[in-house]
Amino acid sequence: MYEPTVARLTYRALLGRRRAAILFLLPALLIVIAVAVRALVGVDDGVAADVLGGFALATMVPLIGVIAGTGAIGPEIDDGSIVYLLSKPVKRPTIIFTKLIVAIAVTMAFSAIPTFVAGLILNGNGSQIAIAYTVAALVASIAYSAVFLLLGTVSRHAVVFGLVYALVWEALFGSLVPGARTLSIQQWALSLAEKIGADGAIASDVGLPTAVILLVAVTGLATWYAGQKLRSLTLAGDE
């Protein structure tokens, strides 16, 4: 299910100069914010949770997921170079799974590691906040990558739709409309962070069993459907 050549090409596309600059920008901003907050406020568990939850998990992780998930396949479909890849004797689900693994790895590297470092800067992992949000970022990276890879497969406007979901649905509606939080990857990941952190340090609106089921279901369905859409794209090209 994993094709090294496809992975190498995908890594090269994602870590090109322009995308790499964008990917480094958000983690760098998080570290700068963490240093500034620590210098101004000192060690405060509540402030650390606010920064990691409000910026790292709510903004940085989904945006990096958009860049990595859609960038893993969207540009190839847009410029037609996907035809070259589809002409190779590689199964379509294998292509999708390989690109998903690459997108997950990139999203994790550029979101979970900076989240952990920022957490250590903010409060030295007091109340297990740094580890809790790092685990949340790791888990969210998987689901975001699958969803945004699917968007990159089915739409030429995947980045726009991804930004709408990340910034409008999760950041805006997710904070204002209680019912919308149940359908939020951020809240699902927060349920794991809540379990790991000290009592009362982190709160989620979704129970842990429900969150785990939804994370697995969304990731699996998005990956499967992306494979089906890529297969139909091949058939259309053959016709």
Side-chain angles (χ1 to χ4, degrees):
M1 291 296 292
Y2 183 84
E3 175 54 50
T5 301
V6 175
R8 184 173 65 254
L9 294 173
T10 306
Y11 275 118
R12 186 181 301 171
L14 287 178
L15 300 178
R17 289 184 179 180
R18 186 171 62 179
R19 278 200 177 85
I22 299 174
L23 288 170
F24 275 108
L25 180 62
L26 288 170
L29 181 58
L30 173 62
I31 300 302
V32 169
I33 292 173
V35 171
V37 170
R38 175 63 183 269
L40 294 172
V41 179
V43 177
D44 187 305
D45 291 353
V47 172
D50 289 341
V51 172
L52 295 181
F55 182 78
L57 190 62
T59 303
M60 183 184 71
V61 180
L63 287 180
I64 292 176
V66 170
I67 296 169
T70 61
I73 195 169
E76 291 177 298
I77 294 178
D78 291 342
D79 62 21
S81 61
I82 191 70
V83 175
Y84 171 79
L85 184 59
L86 297 179
S87 66
K88 301 300 179 183
V90 181
K91 294 180 179 179
R92 307 304 176 254
T94 298
I95 294 174
I96 289 296
F97 184 76
T98 301
K99 287 182 173 292
L100 174 62
I101 294 299
V102 173
I104 289 173
V106 171
T107 306
M108 284 182 172
F110 284 91
S111 61
I113 296 174
T115 297
F116 181 68
V117 173
L120 292 180
I121 293 172
L122 287 165
N123 75 334
N125 194 39
S127 300
Q128 297 292 307
I129 288 175
I131 292 179
Y133 277 102
T134 299
V135 172
L138 289 170
V139 171
S141 295
I142 299 173
Y144 281 129
S145 296
V147 170
F148 296 137
L149 179 66
L150 172 60
L151 285 178
T153 306
V154 301
S155 173
R156 291 181 177 272
H157 306 289
V159 174
V160 175
F161 291 135
L163 291 175
V164 168
Y165 174 81
L167 299 180
V168 177
W169 178 263
E170 293 217 337
L172 182 59
F173 285 96
S175 62
L176 299 177
V177 183
R181 298 170 188 166
T182 306
L183 301 177
S184 167
I185 294 174
Q186 175 192 341
Q187 290 296 324
W188 304 342
L190 269 177
S191 68
L192 294 171
E194 182 181 24
K195 185 69 174 180
I196 296 170
D199 290 342
I202 302 170
S204 172
D205 294 319
V206 182
L208 183 58
T210 302
V212 171
I213 292 172
L214 290 172
L215 282 166
V216 173
V218 166
T219 301
L221 287 173
T223 304
W224 172 80
Y225 191 60
Q228 296 303 306
K229 291 301 293 183
L230 191 62
R231 183 175 295 169
S232 67
L233 177 66
T234 305
L235 292 174
D238 290 341
E239 293 173 359

